[in-house]
Amino acid sequence: MTGTPTTWGIEQFRDNVATKDGLIVQRFKQSGAHFLGKTNVPVELADFQSYNPIYGVTSNPWDITRTPGGSSGGSAAALSAGLSALEAGSDIGGSIRNPAHFCGVYSHKPTYGLVPMQGHELLAGLPVGDLAVCGPLARSPADLRLALSIMAGPGQRQAKGWQLSLRPAGKQRLSDYKVVIWATDSGAPVAEEVSARALEVGAKLKVSGATVSYTARPKFDVVAAHENYQTLLNATMTSGMNLEEVARMQRRADSLEIDDHSRRALITRAAVLSHRDWIRANGCREKIRVGWDEFFDEWDIVICPQMATTAFVHDHQPFRQRTLRVDQVQRPYFEQLFWAGFAINAYLPSTVFPTGLSADGLPIGLQAMGGSYCDFETIEFTQLLGERVGGFQAPPYFN
């Protein structure tokens, strides 16, 4: 937005000020929106927390000792606390969705390419990258729907040749839906309270007349699919490394044993992935996308966790020293990308919706994923479901 800092939390961009409005800002202004400002993010938009050396730490309105999530943590915190009515963020690893879960609001990660990224880049003129999307956060599905209808559509160059015709939601009752509950997974176990909430939602859907399955899954290797996402994600996230960093990472990759398939080995190789190997990884991704297409020919919605736990206590240790405690077990910090990656890597829409509070008084949100371009369907589903599970609940000091 013109005249506002664009830093991504990076110290060397402290004085980087936008000289023009991004395309989405233009669309909101044309629709009558008034902007209050920008909210906080982690450094390089790359954390489940929101703190940086320029603007400090953002806390969760439900408990200020805990993170509001990231990278759109400032957005979710502002909504939850009543400081703003509508927010927008970006998502490549859950950055729109995990803040919504942690802060008890709604958010929508659109189908890839639905919302143009023009103006979201740190420096103008960069091409659109893989995986990342922009989308809205709000306190209601109705506001998500309105925001998405404003944000979605071709970019300026694409608008010369095509227009978007996103199909409206076709179902009007919960009983019309066929829903799969994916409450936890051995690849990224979630807290018992989170998985229990997903099962509880499934039970309420069944009572409402929906067709519900707890065992249906897409027909591909889920572990291999997550490895594919990590490869493509880290290839994207490390694309800005300088030559010295590339050389150092190449040496590390060359030193790995050929049979080392650990996460560390995976992301090391991804950092120096050749274009040929990226094409091969993209080919594997396409098979995963086809698997999801076939799955959503039969099913409408997948409900699954967004993160393994409720909002955790601020942890600003170096990444390699961090873990996440899940039911008394210390799990790898970035294991949570498993749940974010389903929708990101396959370019699918996913709406996060609040389901009420945990035993210790923190919000629990879940994802409602759908088939490609069924964005209004996942949003409408959460609208209908909100009548059963409560919708947005304000924190104690809501303004």
Side-chain angles (χ1 to χ4, degrees):
M1 186 168 64
T2 303
T4 61
T6 300
T7 70
W8 286 19
I10 303 171
E11 178 63 44
Q12 55 263 46
F13 287 93
R14 177 186 288 268
D15 299 320
N16 185 44
V17 176
T19 58
K20 61 183 296 186
D21 288 340
L23 182 56
I24 300 309
V25 172
Q26 294 174 33
R27 289 178 178 178
F28 273 121
K29 286 184 175 180
Q30 289 165 4
S31 298
H34 295 274
F35 285 80
L36 302 177
K38 289 184 176 179
T39 54
N40 208 20
V41 295
V43 176
E44 296 182 347
L45 315 183
D47 199 353
F48 302 134
Q49 305 177 69
S50 291
Y51 69 95
N52 61 66
I54 304 174
Y55 300 111
V57 180
T58 298
S59 297
N60 193 310
W62 287 90
D63 180 347
I64 61 172
T65 69
R66 297 173 185 266
T67 176
S71 62
S72 303
S75 293
L79 279 170
S80 182
L83 301 178
S84 64
L86 185 69
E87 295 281 345
S90 62
D91 194 318
I92 195 172
S95 289
I96 291 172
R97 292 166 290 158
N98 85 60
H101 155 54
F102 281 168
C103 293
V105 298
Y106 288 86
S107 69
H108 183 71
K109 184 218 89 72
T111 299
Y112 179 81
L114 197 67
V115 174
M117 301 286 283
Q118 186 177 339
H120 176 69
E121 66 272 15
L122 187 57
L123 295 173
L126 296 177
V128 175
D130 190 20
L131 300 172
V133 300
C134 287
L137 300 91
R139 287 193 291 269
S140 73
D143 286 346
L144 288 183
R145 187 185 309 112
L146 175 62
L148 184 64
S149 69
I150 294 169
M151 298 171 77
Q156 290 174 325
R157 180 184 297 148
Q158 291 81 4
K160 297 176 181 178
W162 64 268
Q163 296 296 316
L164 177 67
S165 180
L166 197 63
R167 69 183 189 183
K171 297 176 173 58
Q172 318 214 339
R173 298 177 299 274
L174 288 177
S175 58
D176 295 333
Y177 284 89
K178 298 181 66 178
V179 183
V180 171
I181 307 296
W182 198 329
T184 189
D185 195 279
S186 60
V190 304
E192 184 177 347
E193 192 169 18
V194 174
S195 62
R197 186 63 56 85
L199 296 173
E200 179 184 326
V201 169
K204 290 181 178 180
L205 284 167
K206 202 161 189 177
V207 169
S208 299
T211 300
V212 179
S213 172
Y214 298 91
T215 58
R217 299 291 184 266
K219 294 179 181 178
F220 52 75
D221 185 328
V222 173
V223 173
H226 183 52
E227 290 182 353
N228 179 256
Y229 166 58
Q230 290 183 90
T231 294
L232 292 168
L233 172 66
N234 285 283
T236 297
M237 296 294 285
T238 57
S239 60
M241 290 192 306
N242 60 41
L243 293 178
E244 182 180 341
E245 292 171 321
V246 171
R248 184 170 62 251
M249 197 63 74
Q250 187 65 63
R251 289 193 296 271
R252 289 181 186 173
D254 292 341
S255 69
L256 294 169
E257 297 293 333
I258 194 169
D259 59 349
D260 185 350
H261 298 292
S262 65
R263 181 180 184 277
R264 182 174 178 274
L266 192 72
I267 64 175
T268 298
R269 295 187 182 105
V272 289
L273 201 67
S274 69
H275 185 56
R276 178 184 295 106
D277 286 339
W278 187 92
I279 290 173
R280 290 169 177 168
N282 190 40
C284 292
R285 192 238 307 267
E286 182 60 24
K287 294 177 182 177
I288 296 165
R289 295 185 68 193
V290 169
W292 278 116
D293 288 342
E294 294 173 348
F295 181 81
F296 282 117
D297 283 342
E298 180 177 358
W299 299 94
D300 301 310
I301 299 288
V302 172
I303 289 179
C304 64
Q306 172 55 42
M307 294 282 285
T309 68
T310 54
F312 55 86
V313 174
H314 296 294
D315 181 0
H316 299 168
Q317 301 178 85
F319 283 131
R320 289 188 182 180
Q321 296 178 25
R322 297 183 197 174
T323 58
L324 186 63
R325 190 174 182 134
V326 181
D327 289 343
Q328 313 308 315
V329 177
Q330 299 298 135
R331 304 291 304 185
Y333 186 72
F334 283 110
E335 185 176 75
Q336 304 316 300
L337 290 171
F338 177 89
W339 297 106
F342 281 163
I344 284 289
N345 205 40
Y347 296 170
L348 300 173
S350 175
T351 306
V352 163
F353 59 96
T355 68
L357 305 183
S358 64
D360 56 358
L362 295 170
I364 296 177
L366 298 171
Q367 295 188 74
M369 288 173 46
S372 294
Y373 300 102
C374 294
D375 294 70
F376 287 134
E377 198 76 80
T378 65
I379 293 172
E380 177 62 23
F381 173 78
T382 63
Q383 174 83 54
L384 296 170
L385 189 58
E387 300 167 8
R388 298 280 178 169
V389 300
F392 171 73
Q393 181 176 339
Y397 302 106
F398 180 79
N399 288 321

